[in-house]
Amino acid sequence: TVGIAGTATLYVAEQTGVAQGLMAFSRGVGMICGPLLMSKLLGKLIWSGESQYGFGSVLAFKALCVLLVPRLSHAWSLCLSFFGVGAAMAVLDTFNIMLVGRLLKARSGAELAKYDLCYGVGGMVAPYIAILVHRHSWDVLATVDLVMAFWVIRRRACIGKPTDWKQKIRNPEQGVATKNGSMDQVSQSVPPKVLRAGLTFAFISQIGSTSISAWGFAFTTKRFGFSEEWAALVPSSFYLASMLPRLVNTYLARHILASTLVHVSLIFIVLGSMSVFAASVMLTGDVDQRHGYIFMFLGIWLMGTGYANHYSMLLVSMTQHGELSSQQSGMFGSSVCFGITVGLWLAGLIDLAHVELGIATLLTAIWTAHIREFPFCGTLKKNGASRESP
């Protein structure tokens, strides 16, 4: 959805005259508000075992909003539809992390790494699908959503709730049922200090990764005069570089602390941001331009490797201290979406090389300041809990 919407919104802007930035902003606001407004309801659906009906309903709502986009022409109606698309996207994402976290707890690292991998593949393929089907992109996207919604709802209606869902979801030997039938009270919630650090880290990390993917092309063409072919390799290299670590982490997450993987990723991000900054100096100076190109793409590749699993490994690092409630999961989803929204415009105001260097510094400072909560060394027990090394 993200990749197709990013490309197909241009077609809508050309057809209606509504600014593409206004539609993107409306989608961003929806992504921020969706998890915050719907987190309690999602918790109740999961607690009652009706997550399939809930998931299918959100997919159907998203499909409706997507179908309306190419059929509207007024700015207010388009913004409202994009708000709905963004809200549904973020709610589905929050739904996923709540379910995986509830079922697998700290052992969810490998599954969330697979989720990251699938997301990355979709992000790489989506623009080409949008170009292939051109102005029918929105109809194709809505059709896929409707088919999935129908399949999920039909499966729930015909087969019923999953086997042993109460044991899996409510976990009576550890969990605590609430009067309002939600999953807000758990045996051990994430401490406030860990939650604040995690939300801040997620927000800043998403600014860094979104800035590269959204502004890498414009940064290299306008600032350094890259040809379109070379400039297109910047965001493509960033996404391609994230594929291998996401694949490797599906295995490593079963044996190594998630916080350790985040520490290692920060090394790649710091080196990558320094390389991009050095490249910007070389390409504007008297140094051989080839060296600038080498340092630019080396830095993009290093940062793509570093940012690859921040989303999933950060979540698992937080759940090593307890279980995220529905509201906390909604806050996490909104922090991520807020970071994405800021990343879409920040690099347009400040030089991308300076943005990435500043982001790398802030992320390292936050993670280092909370090294007791997110240790570099330790072992992973069979039940997924962490155990710091002496």
Side-chain angles (χ1 to χ4, degrees):
T1 300
V2 174
I4 289 180
T7 306
T9 302
L10 177 62
Y11 304 146
V12 178
E14 293 174 349
Q15 181 180 349
T16 63
V18 179
Q20 185 177 4
L22 181 61
M23 291 183 282
F25 175 77
S26 300
R27 181 164 62 98
V29 173
M31 292 174 68
I32 295 170
C33 296
L36 286 177
L37 297 175
M38 298 295 292
S39 60
K40 271 187 165 292
L41 177 59
L42 297 182
K44 291 180 179 181
L45 287 170
I46 293 174
W47 189 262
S48 63
E50 298 294 354
S51 55
Q52 290 169 301
Y53 276 143
F55 200 86
S57 299
V58 177
L59 273 172
F61 172 76
K62 176 173 171 283
L64 175 63
C65 294
V66 170
L67 276 174
L68 289 174
V69 168
R71 294 165 176 81
L72 300 174
S73 57
H74 294 92
W76 67 268
S77 57
L78 278 169
C79 289
L80 191 60
S81 292
F82 273 98
F83 177 88
V85 171
M89 288 167 55
V91 167
L92 289 171
D93 192 47
T94 304
F95 221 148
N96 177 68
I97 64 174
M98 288 172 67
L99 274 172
V100 174
R102 185 69 183 174
L103 292 171
L104 301 177
K105 297 182 172 58
R107 295 180 290 108
S108 60
E111 300 306 317
L112 288 173
K114 294 177 185 177
Y115 179 61
D116 272 347
L117 180 63
C118 293
Y119 181 88
V121 173
M124 292 178 62
V125 173
Y128 298 101
I129 296 176
I131 293 172
L132 180 64
V133 298
H134 200 52
R135 299 186 184 278
H136 297 291
S137 300
W138 298 103
D139 294 332
V140 171
L141 184 59
T143 301
V144 173
D145 286 338
L146 283 173
V147 169
M148 289 193 295
F150 175 77
W151 181 79
V152 172
I153 293 175
R154 181 179 180 277
R155 181 180 176 84
R156 167 63 183 87
C158 296
I159 300 177
K161 297 181 181 181
T163 306
D164 298 330
W165 70 270
K166 284 188 178 181
Q167 175 66 20
K168 294 175 181 177
I169 296 296
R170 298 185 179 182
N171 203 6
E173 70 274 13
Q174 294 182 16
V176 180
T178 60
K179 293 181 179 180
N180 61 358
S182 69
M183 49 180 282
D184 284 339
Q185 294 183 14
V186 293
S187 55
Q188 182 183 356
S189 60
V190 174
K193 184 178 181 181
V194 174
L195 181 64
R196 288 193 297 269
L199 296 180
T200 305
F201 190 94
F203 169 69
I204 296 175
S205 175
Q206 290 301 318
I207 294 177
S209 59
T210 304
S211 295
I212 299 173
S213 60
W215 288 95
F217 183 90
F219 172 66
T220 49
T221 52
K222 294 181 179 180
R223 176 78 186 277
F224 308 120
F226 278 29
S227 65
E228 291 187 353
E229 291 76 13
W230 278 101
L233 287 174
V234 173
S236 296
S237 299
F238 178 76
Y239 280 114
L240 185 61
S242 69
M243 291 297 101
L244 180 59
R246 284 172 174 171
L247 182 61
V248 171
N249 280 353
T250 60
Y251 170 79
L252 292 180
R254 302 177 187 274
H255 306 280
I256 300 176
L257 280 179
S259 57
T260 302
L261 295 175
V262 177
H263 278 290
V264 174
S265 74
L266 288 174
I267 298 174
F268 285 94
I269 292 174
V270 170
L271 293 176
S273 62
M274 292 174 63
S275 181
V276 169
F277 187 82
S280 67
V281 174
M282 293 178 185
L283 291 169
T284 54
D286 298 328
V287 183
D288 189 343
Q289 296 288 294
R290 290 176 298 179
H291 295 153
Y293 274 73
I294 292 172
F295 271 82
M296 176 64 71
F297 285 103
L298 175 62
I300 295 297
W301 191 272
L302 288 171
M303 285 194 289
T305 302
Y307 281 116
N309 278 123
H310 269 194
Y311 180 84
S312 56
M313 293 303 109
L314 174 60
L315 265 174
V316 179
S317 298
M318 294 169 66
T319 56
Q320 286 168 352
H321 296 272
E323 189 175 333
L324 287 170
S325 69
S326 57
Q327 286 181 307
Q328 290 173 336
S329 297
M331 292 168 64
F332 182 86
S334 293
S335 296
V336 169
C337 295
F338 190 28
I340 292 173
T341 304
V342 173
L344 288 173
W345 58 263
L346 182 61
L349 302 177
I350 306 174
D351 185 83
L352 181 62
H354 289 85
V355 169
E356 293 303 331
L357 196 60
I359 292 295
T361 303
L362 287 173
L363 290 176
T364 304
I366 293 171
W367 210 246
T368 304
H370 296 83
I371 196 167
R372 289 181 62 87
E373 290 77 25
F374 305 113
F376 182 81
C377 299
T379 57
L380 196 64
K381 296 180 181 179
K382 290 183 178 179
N383 63 358
S386 63
R387 181 178 65 220
E388 293 185 28
S389 58

